[in-house]
Amino acid sequence: MRLYTLVEEHAADPAFGCEHGLSFYLETEREHLLFDLGQSELFLRNAHALGLDIARVDRAFLSHGHYDHGGGLSAFLRENDHAPVYVHSRAFEPHFSRKPEGVRPIGLDPELEHHPRLVPTGDVYEVSPNLLLFSDVTGTECQSEGGKNLLERVGDTYVPDAFAHEQSLIVYDKGKCILFTGCAHRGVVNLVQRAAEHAGRMPDVVVGGMHLYSPSQKKSEPDELIRAVGERLGKTGARYLTGHCTGEHAYAVLHDMLGDQIGYLPAGSQVDL
């Protein structure tokens, strides 16, 4: 398998653009997959710079209902005329962020909710024998405090988002088990554990953000929490490839703890899994 990072906050080379968001392109033995779409059409431009053709994507997945992961959805539907897009059934509900200047919407374009190529998913959704989506995470260890500034609306009241709309993807290929987490709002420790329960084994590689930095508040989680996450991840034996909402400080702390067990994925990077 070869993994390409199409969108992230940093770029591997000046030839690639960067933005707040995330998008990955994965070539497996069987098909080409796209996981998340960034916040704009940037994923298309970076794919072109990497020599990748978005029209060849067989399936696309949206991890959750925030603009920085699904803002490129309309561009994808335009550039690719056949691939289904798997989206949790609650992803198009309104979502918000509490910033110092007030609450603002951060959801998806509601006009796309009923597009015929969108496939609604639920708690557990088997796409194929090699692809499993799940959102049934119940663990509560090492969760980000910054996540409390991400909101949903109940009636006229804003409450912390429970992230029922957040799904993760397990990919099986050539004997390997790869987990894609998106932002891991419910805690990367809990997502990895739930993935292991679904797969019957620990993932070999975990790809995605860990939400140890709050962009809305511009602050990292406390070192105590970051180190608690690192201690638990180190025991799994999995390799971690991360970026986006993990944050630079948290990544530095985790790298000090985990060494080569963790790596960073700027836009334009390529990794063989």
Side-chain angles (χ1 to χ4, degrees), residues 38-39 62 64-73 90-97 104-112 150-151 161 165:
Q39 64 169 281
L62 191 58
H64 62 288
H66 288 173
Y67 77 99
D68 53 328
H69 294 253
L73 179 57
R90 296 188 60 180
F92 279 89
E93 293 177 2
H95 304 291
F96 306 87
S97 174
R104 68 179 183 91
I106 57 170
L108 304 174
D109 182 351
E111 293 187 5
L112 297 175
L150 297 169
L151 311 171
D161 198 328
H165 58 100

Side-chain angles (χ1 to χ4, degrees), residues 150-173:
L150 297 169
L151 311 171
E152 57 188 349
R153 195 162 51 200
V154 177
D156 295 328
T157 305
Y158 295 108
V159 299
D161 198 328
F163 289 103
H165 58 100
E166 181 181 51
Q167 59 184 1
S168 300
L169 174 67
I170 298 174
V171 179
Y172 302 101
D173 191 68

Side-chain angles (χ1 to χ4, degrees), residues 75-225:
F76 175 75
L77 293 169
R78 183 189 71 231
E79 294 294 316
N80 181 299
D81 64 4
H82 63 279
V85 183
Y86 298 86
V87 183
H88 194 278
S89 59
R90 296 188 60 180
F92 279 89
E93 293 177 2
H95 304 291
F96 306 87
S97 174
R98 180 185 289 114
K99 303 190 73 169
E101 60 269 26
V103 173
R104 68 179 183 91
I106 57 170
L108 304 174
D109 182 351
E111 293 187 5
L112 297 175
E113 181 175 6
H114 301 293
H115 193 283
R117 282 173 46 208
L118 268 57
V119 179
T121 67
D123 285 348
V124 181
Y125 189 95
E126 185 178 69
V127 178
S128 74
N130 305 299
L131 301 169
L132 181 74
L133 288 163
F134 69 93
S135 58
D136 62 338
V137 179
T138 57
T140 58
E141 281 194 276
C142 301
Q143 290 180 305
S144 165
E145 287 295 312
K148 294 179 180 178
N149 292 299
L150 297 169
L151 311 171
E152 57 188 349
R153 195 162 51 200
V154 177
D156 295 328
T157 305
Y158 295 108
V159 299
D161 198 328
F163 289 103
H165 58 100
E166 181 181 51
Q167 59 184 1
S168 300
L169 174 67
I170 298 174
V171 179
Y172 302 101
D173 191 68
K174 291 187 174 180
K176 290 188 176 181
C177 175
I178 313 298
L179 171 64
F180 285 85
T181 67
C183 273
H185 290 100
R186 286 186 281 183
V188 64
V189 171
N190 305 313
L191 265 66
V192 170
Q193 180 58 43
R194 192 62 177 136
E197 291 166 359
H198 279 301
R201 54 177 287 198
M202 275 291 168
D204 296 291
V205 185
V206 179
V207 180
M210 299 182 184
H211 213 271
L212 296 172
Y213 174 80
S214 173
S216 63
Q217 305 298 309
K218 294 182 171 55
K219 60 185 293 189
S220 183
E221 293 295 323
D223 281 10
E224 181 181 10
L225 174 61

Side-chain angles (χ1 to χ4, degrees), residues 226-268:
I226 298 168
R227 292 188 179 280
V229 169
E231 288 174 3
R232 287 161 176 78
L233 297 186
K235 295 175 182 177
T236 66
R239 180 185 182 195
Y240 292 87
L241 299 173
T242 191
H244 183 47
C245 57
T246 298
E248 294 180 41
H249 173 73
Y251 176 76
V253 173
L254 291 173
H255 191 266
D256 283 345
M257 297 179 69
L258 302 177
D260 291 342
Q261 192 178 350
I262 192 169
Y264 199 91
L265 294 174

